[in-house]
Amino acid sequence: KLSEEEVTLEGYVAGEEPVAADETETASVAFAQNLAGAEVSELDAVCAKLPTSASEEDKARRMQLWARMDVNGNGYLSLAEVDKAVRDVLAVPELFSAKPVLMRAFQASKQARQTHSKHGSDYVERSELHALLVCLRRYYELYAMFNSVDASDDRRIDMQEFEASLPLLQEWGISCPKPSEEFAAIDSNGGNLILFDEFCSWALQKGLALQPSDEKTLDQKLSEEEVTLEGYVAGEEPVAADETETASVAFAQ
């Protein structure tokens, strides 16, 4: 099949998880619509699907989520597993199509807790699920704001777009009396364009947000060079050290 001119493996891979046709179509449509980024209008609906609060209901949902997300039961989530879980378990197609959000949230949350696990710094562990969901919500919010400024939908912000967005930034509580200097400060790699990661670093330092919340501590930690969210997320579910160690040994074996 791989040597054919038109490759198709449909029906070949045994044991694959079936996905309902309407679910696949929804994800496909959302992906096509969101190639340029998230939309501010989608923010409330997306965040409502992420159980990030310290309520007993959301705690219970997180426990159920982990069991469904960690499909191989090794106690770790890889980036590919997080990506699949966003589509199939959380069922948030808008978030699934926002790959820069998934990448940044994964990178931040996999270092959220200091554990004795050998592979903990490379994967998201159960005690870091809450941090993962919080980071998905926060970075999706920033991605929606980034996309509002990126008028050309090329995932980059040039000087003209930045200047045109000054009234919008003002609405968000950010004043830029010297736009060219502010642009240069955000453009950390000197490429004359603002990329999403550069926008995130700047926005987190400024506390840029659309939804009212107490995010100052989170933003400060996410904007640090060495990310650690340990001690930030309130109400997170504790995981016994021996449980983490057992998962680590099983994974290594």
Short mmCIF file of all heavy atoms in Angstrom, two decimals, residues 91-120:
data_model
loop_
_atom_site.label_atom_id
_atom_site.label_comp_id
_atom_site.label_asym_id
_atom_site.label_seq_id
_atom_site.Cartn_x
_atom_site.Cartn_y
_atom_site.Cartn_z
N ALA A 91 -13.32 16.83 22.95
CA ALA A 91 -14.22 17.14 21.83
C ALA A 91 -14.34 18.64 21.61
O ALA A 91 -15.44 19.20 21.58
CB ALA A 91 -15.59 16.51 22.05
N VAL A 92 -13.18 19.28 21.46
CA VAL A 92 -13.14 20.72 21.19
C VAL A 92 -12.42 20.93 19.85
O VAL A 92 -11.20 21.14 19.82
CB VAL A 92 -12.42 21.50 22.31
CG1 VAL A 92 -12.58 23.00 22.10
CG2 VAL A 92 -12.94 21.09 23.68
N PRO A 93 -13.14 20.85 18.74
CA PRO A 93 -12.49 20.96 17.42
C PRO A 93 -11.78 22.29 17.21
O PRO A 93 -10.76 22.35 16.52
CB PRO A 93 -13.65 20.78 16.43
CG PRO A 93 -14.89 21.05 17.22
CD PRO A 93 -14.59 20.63 18.62
N GLU A 94 -12.30 23.37 17.81
CA GLU A 94 -11.64 24.67 17.65
C GLU A 94 -10.25 24.65 18.28
O GLU A 94 -9.30 25.21 17.73
CB GLU A 94 -12.48 25.78 18.30
CG GLU A 94 -13.87 25.94 17.73
CD GLU A 94 -14.90 25.04 18.43
OE1 GLU A 94 -14.49 24.17 19.23
OE2 GLU A 94 -16.10 25.19 18.15
N LEU A 95 -10.14 23.99 19.41
CA LEU A 95 -8.85 23.88 20.09
C LEU A 95 -7.95 22.88 19.38
O LEU A 95 -6.73 23.08 19.29
CB LEU A 95 -9.08 23.45 21.54
CG LEU A 95 -7.87 23.42 22.49
CD1 LEU A 95 -7.17 24.77 22.50
CD2 LEU A 95 -8.33 23.05 23.89
N PHE A 96 -8.53 21.82 18.85
CA PHE A 96 -7.76 20.82 18.12
C PHE A 96 -7.04 21.43 16.92
O PHE A 96 -5.91 21.04 16.59
CB PHE A 96 -8.67 19.68 17.67
CG PHE A 96 -8.02 18.67 16.76
CD1 PHE A 96 -7.06 17.79 17.25
CD2 PHE A 96 -8.36 18.61 15.42
CE1 PHE A 96 -6.45 16.87 16.41
CE2 PHE A 96 -7.76 17.69 14.58
CZ PHE A 96 -6.80 16.81 15.07
N SER A 97 -7.68 22.38 16.27
CA SER A 97 -7.08 23.00 15.09
C SER A 97 -6.05 24.06 15.44
O SER A 97 -5.29 24.49 14.58
CB SER A 97 -8.17 23.62 14.22
OG SER A 97 -8.76 24.73 14.86
N ALA A 98 -5.99 24.47 16.69
CA ALA A 98 -5.05 25.51 17.12
C ALA A 98 -3.76 24.85 17.60
O ALA A 98 -3.46 24.80 18.79
CB ALA A 98 -5.68 26.35 18.23
N LYS A 99 -2.97 24.33 16.67
CA LYS A 99 -1.77 23.58 17.02
C LYS A 99 -0.74 24.38 17.82
O LYS A 99 -0.10 23.81 18.71
CB LYS A 99 -1.12 23.00 15.75
CG LYS A 99 -2.02 22.06 14.97
CD LYS A 99 -2.57 20.93 15.84
CE LYS A 99 -3.44 19.98 15.03
NZ LYS A 99 -4.10 18.97 15.88
N PRO A 100 -0.53 25.67 17.54
CA PRO A 100 0.41 26.42 18.37
C PRO A 100 0.00 26.46 19.84
O PRO A 100 0.85 26.49 20.73
CB PRO A 100 0.38 27.83 17.75
CG PRO A 100 0.01 27.59 16.32
CD PRO A 100 -0.99 26.47 16.38
N VAL A 101 -1.30 26.45 20.09
CA VAL A 101 -1.80 26.44 21.48
C VAL A 101 -1.47 25.11 22.14
O VAL A 101 -0.98 25.07 23.28
CB VAL A 101 -3.32 26.68 21.49
CG1 VAL A 101 -3.88 26.49 22.90
CG2 VAL A 101 -3.65 28.07 20.98
N LEU A 102 -1.73 24.02 21.44
CA LEU A 102 -1.46 22.70 21.99
C LEU A 102 0.02 22.54 22.32
O LEU A 102 0.39 22.00 23.37
CB LEU A 102 -1.91 21.61 21.01
CG LEU A 102 -3.39 21.57 20.64
CD1 LEU A 102 -3.67 20.39 19.72
CD2 LEU A 102 -4.25 21.47 21.88
N MET A 103 0.87 23.00 21.41
CA MET A 103 2.31 22.86 21.62
C MET A 103 2.78 23.65 22.85
O MET A 103 3.50 23.12 23.70
CB MET A 103 3.05 23.35 20.38
CG MET A 103 4.57 23.39 20.53
SD MET A 103 5.29 21.75 20.81
CE MET A 103 5.20 21.07 19.14
N ARG A 104 2.36 24.90 22.96
CA ARG A 104 2.81 25.72 24.08
C ARG A 104 2.24 25.23 25.40
O ARG A 104 2.92 25.22 26.43
CB ARG A 104 2.45 27.19 23.85
CG ARG A 104 3.23 27.85 22.72
CD ARG A 104 3.07 29.37 22.74
NE ARG A 104 3.70 29.94 23.91
CZ ARG A 104 4.99 30.29 23.97
NH1 ARG A 104 5.78 30.09 22.95
NH2 ARG A 104 5.48 30.83 25.07
N ALA A 105 0.99 24.80 25.40
CA ALA A 105 0.38 24.29 26.63
C ALA A 105 1.07 23.00 27.09
O ALA A 105 1.30 22.80 28.28
CB ALA A 105 -1.11 24.05 26.42
N PHE A 106 1.39 22.14 26.13
CA PHE A 106 2.09 20.90 26.47
C PHE A 106 3.47 21.18 27.04
O PHE A 106 3.86 20.62 28.08
CB PHE A 106 2.20 20.01 25.22
CG PHE A 106 2.98 18.74 25.44
CD1 PHE A 106 2.39 17.65 26.06
CD2 PHE A 106 4.30 18.64 25.02
CE1 PHE A 106 3.11 16.48 26.27
CE2 PHE A 106 5.02 17.49 25.24
CZ PHE A 106 4.43 16.39 25.86
N GLN A 107 4.22 22.05 26.38
CA GLN A 107 5.57 22.36 26.83
C GLN A 107 5.58 22.96 28.24
O GLN A 107 6.47 22.69 29.04
CB GLN A 107 6.25 23.33 25.84
CG GLN A 107 6.53 22.74 24.48
CD GLN A 107 7.52 21.59 24.51
OE1 GLN A 107 8.34 21.49 25.40
NE2 GLN A 107 7.43 20.69 23.54
N ALA A 108 4.58 23.79 28.52
CA ALA A 108 4.51 24.44 29.84
C ALA A 108 4.08 23.46 30.92
O ALA A 108 4.69 23.39 31.99
CB ALA A 108 3.55 25.62 29.79
N SER A 109 3.05 22.68 30.65
CA SER A 109 2.47 21.84 31.70
C SER A 109 3.27 20.59 32.01
O SER A 109 3.18 20.05 33.11
CB SER A 109 1.03 21.46 31.33
OG SER A 109 0.99 20.77 30.09
N LYS A 110 4.09 20.12 31.08
CA LYS A 110 4.87 18.91 31.36
C LYS A 110 5.95 19.17 32.41
O LYS A 110 6.54 18.22 32.93
CB LYS A 110 5.49 18.36 30.08
CG LYS A 110 6.65 19.19 29.52
CD LYS A 110 7.23 18.55 28.28
CE LYS A 110 8.43 19.34 27.78
NZ LYS A 110 9.05 18.70 26.61
N GLN A 111 6.21 20.43 32.71
CA GLN A 111 7.16 20.79 33.75
C GLN A 111 6.47 21.43 34.96
O GLN A 111 7.11 22.10 35.76
CB GLN A 111 8.20 21.76 33.19
CG GLN A 111 8.95 21.22 31.98
CD GLN A 111 9.93 22.23 31.42
OE1 GLN A 111 10.86 22.65 32.09
NE2 GLN A 111 9.73 22.64 30.18
N ALA A 112 5.17 21.22 35.05
CA ALA A 112 4.40 21.91 36.08
C ALA A 112 4.72 21.41 37.48
O ALA A 112 4.70 22.18 38.44
CB ALA A 112 2.90 21.76 35.80
N ARG A 113 4.97 20.13 37.63
CA ARG A 113 5.22 19.55 38.95
C ARG A 113 6.58 18.86 38.97
O ARG A 113 6.95 18.18 38.02
CB ARG A 113 4.13 18.54 39.31
CG ARG A 113 2.71 19.09 39.30
CD ARG A 113 2.46 20.02 40.46
NE ARG A 113 2.61 19.37 41.74
CZ ARG A 113 1.64 18.67 42.33
NH1 ARG A 113 0.47 18.53 41.75
NH2 ARG A 113 1.84 18.12 43.52
N GLN A 114 7.29 19.04 40.05
CA GLN A 114 8.57 18.35 40.23
C GLN A 114 8.29 16.98 40.85
O GLN A 114 7.85 16.88 41.99
CB GLN A 114 9.49 19.17 41.14
CG GLN A 114 9.84 20.55 40.59
CD GLN A 114 10.59 20.48 39.27
OE1 GLN A 114 11.42 19.61 39.07
NE2 GLN A 114 10.28 21.40 38.36
N THR A 115 8.51 15.92 40.08
CA THR A 115 8.27 14.57 40.57
C THR A 115 9.57 13.76 40.49
O THR A 115 10.57 14.22 39.94
CB THR A 115 7.19 13.86 39.74
OG1 THR A 115 7.70 13.60 38.42
CG2 THR A 115 5.94 14.72 39.63
N HIS A 116 9.52 12.56 41.04
CA HIS A 116 10.68 11.67 41.00
C HIS A 116 10.67 10.81 39.74
O HIS A 116 11.54 9.96 39.57
CB HIS A 116 10.69 10.77 42.24
CG HIS A 116 10.77 11.53 43.53
ND1 HIS A 116 11.87 12.26 43.89
CD2 HIS A 116 9.88 11.68 44.54
CE1 HIS A 116 11.66 12.82 45.07
NE2 HIS A 116 10.45 12.49 45.47
N SER A 117 9.72 11.04 38.89
CA SER A 117 9.58 10.23 37.68
C SER A 117 10.73 10.50 36.72
O SER A 117 11.09 11.65 36.46
CB SER A 117 8.24 10.55 37.00
OG SER A 117 8.20 9.95 35.73
N LYS A 118 11.28 9.44 36.16
CA LYS A 118 12.41 9.55 35.23
C LYS A 118 12.03 10.29 33.96
O LYS A 118 12.84 11.01 33.38
CB LYS A 118 12.92 8.15 34.89
CG LYS A 118 14.11 8.12 33.94
CD LYS A 118 14.56 6.70 33.69
CE LYS A 118 15.74 6.67 32.71
NZ LYS A 118 16.19 5.27 32.45
N HIS A 119 10.78 10.11 33.51
CA HIS A 119 10.34 10.70 32.25
C HIS A 119 9.41 11.89 32.45
O HIS A 119 8.81 12.37 31.49
CB HIS A 119 9.63 9.63 31.41
CG HIS A 119 10.45 8.41 31.16
ND1 HIS A 119 11.46 8.37 30.23
CD2 HIS A 119 10.42 7.18 31.74
CE1 HIS A 119 12.01 7.16 30.23
NE2 HIS A 119 11.40 6.42 31.14
N GLY A 120 9.29 12.35 33.70
CA GLY A 120 8.33 13.40 34.00
C GLY A 120 8.53 14.70 33.26
O GLY A 120 7.57 15.40 32.92
#
